Amino acid sequence: MLKLGLIGKGISRSQSARLHVLLGRMCGMDVTYDYLDSDVIKDFDLIKQLTTCAETGYAGVNVTHPYKTSARKLITPRKRLPEALGSVNTVVFREDGWRGDNTDFVGFMRGYQKQFGDAKPGTVLQMGAGGVGLATAFGLRGLGADKILIHDKDAARGEELVATLVAANANAAFVGEDDLSDAVRASDGLINCTPVGMNQYPGCPFDTDLFGGQKWAFDAVYTPVQTAFLRAAAKSGIDVMTGFELFFFQGIEAFEVFSGAEIDADAARDEYFNAYPEALTG
């Protein structure tokens, strides 16, 4: 039995459980995956919850909003986690302590390479500097982006992410509202790491009239999979990567960390879509 879970706030609609259970079944493992929701658990405390999980047989847990940054301060980072990446989404309980990783960061890179091959990201404009934005920005750094442009309505948060990237030797800059249109036009890649486009927050974070010269686009939103942003980008001749790719590859990476197994991603994709065909459209 491999006992896993997800710690977060308002996570009842997460699809993580069905992915991890399916991956376990592929490996001949009996997997349970619990939702540990701070909206449901009375007097929730992150340290207390992690300690309880460690003491009650969990192999590990995923951590999502709004606890990724706090969790980073409580764990020993795995070797591949960049020192400046100040959040984790995967915690593994070992006899010698709690180990943490950010599989969003690695999952984004794997998804990009699956979708676009060896093509370099070029100059990229990213909307959103929150938790997933931190991970994708470091993914862009890992992929060798020429320049990472960050825009966030909270300018202080955007500037903080830029400072973190620059300290990690990435070429990054903050883009304010006045310069946003020019930045969209000048970019090779466009990324949405805001909630805009989710079922509960409909719309498109970019001015679609500026589309046409860009090469690729990615939306971290995966409910729905085909967002207004990606539909408009594809219509303009831009190659697109859906948020499902990030969800899928970060999940595989996390499961491999939890279990020690190696997952055949192509086989897992086929299994997942056979089991959940609606995932293709969201």
Side-chain angles (χ1 to χ4, degrees), residues 29-102:
M29 299 178 185
D30 187 10
V31 173
T32 63
Y33 194 98
D34 302 319
Y35 290 142
L36 306 167
D37 193 333
S38 61
D39 279 346
V40 176
I41 298 170
K42 187 177 179 180
D43 299 324
F44 178 88
D45 177 82
L46 180 60
I47 297 177
K48 182 179 177 181
Q49 186 62 64
L50 287 169
T51 301
T52 298
C53 288
E55 292 176 347
T56 55
Y58 282 79
V61 293
N62 289 126
V63 180
T64 191
H65 179 80
Y67 303 112
K68 294 180 181 181
T69 302
S70 297
R72 173 67 175 82
K73 299 171 184 175
L74 302 174
I75 56 87
T76 300
R78 296 184 76 230
K79 288 183 180 179
R80 70 177 181 181
L81 185 67
E83 186 176 343
L85 208 173
S87 71
V88 298
N89 74 333
T90 302
V91 177
V92 185
F93 305 115
R94 303 287 191 231
E95 289 184 2
D96 59 348
W98 301 349
R99 297 283 185 269
D101 204 345
N102 190 314

Side-chain angles (χ1 to χ4, degrees), residues 46 49-50 74 76 91 134 145 147 181 199 203 206 210 232 235 258 265 269 280:
L46 180 60
Q49 186 62 64
L50 287 169
L74 302 174
T76 300
V91 177
L134 174 66
K147 190 167 188 178
S181 294
N199 288 325
F206 292 93
L210 304 174
K235 189 175 180 180
F258 292 142
R269 183 184 295 269
L280 287 164

Side-chain angles (χ1 to χ4, degrees), residues 149-215:
L149 304 174
I150 303 294
H151 175 77
D152 196 288
K153 289 185 177 180
D154 183 341
R157 183 167 71 169
E159 294 277 14
E160 182 180 1
L161 175 54
V162 167
T164 300
L165 290 166
V166 170
N169 298 316
N171 184 10
F174 180 75
V175 176
E177 198 70 38
D178 292 345
D179 299 317
L180 191 54
S181 294
D182 288 342
V184 173
R185 292 190 187 96
S187 293
D188 299 297
L190 301 174
I191 290 181
N192 176 39
C193 285
T194 77
V196 177
M198 295 175 67
N199 288 325
Q200 59 269 48
Y201 303 106
C204 179
F206 292 93
D207 180 351
T208 59
D209 289 338
L210 304 174
F211 289 1
Q214 301 83 7
K215 296 177 181 177

Side-chain angles (χ1 to χ4, degrees), residues 13 15 18 197-199 221-227 242 244 272-273 276-282:
R13 298 179 66 182
Q15 298 174 24
R18 67 188 195 182
M198 295 175 67
N199 288 325
V221 170
Y222 71 96
T223 53
V225 173
Q226 299 299 331
T227 61
T242 72
F244 176 82
Y272 192 87
F273 286 147
Y276 307 106
E278 71 276 11
L280 287 164
T281 59

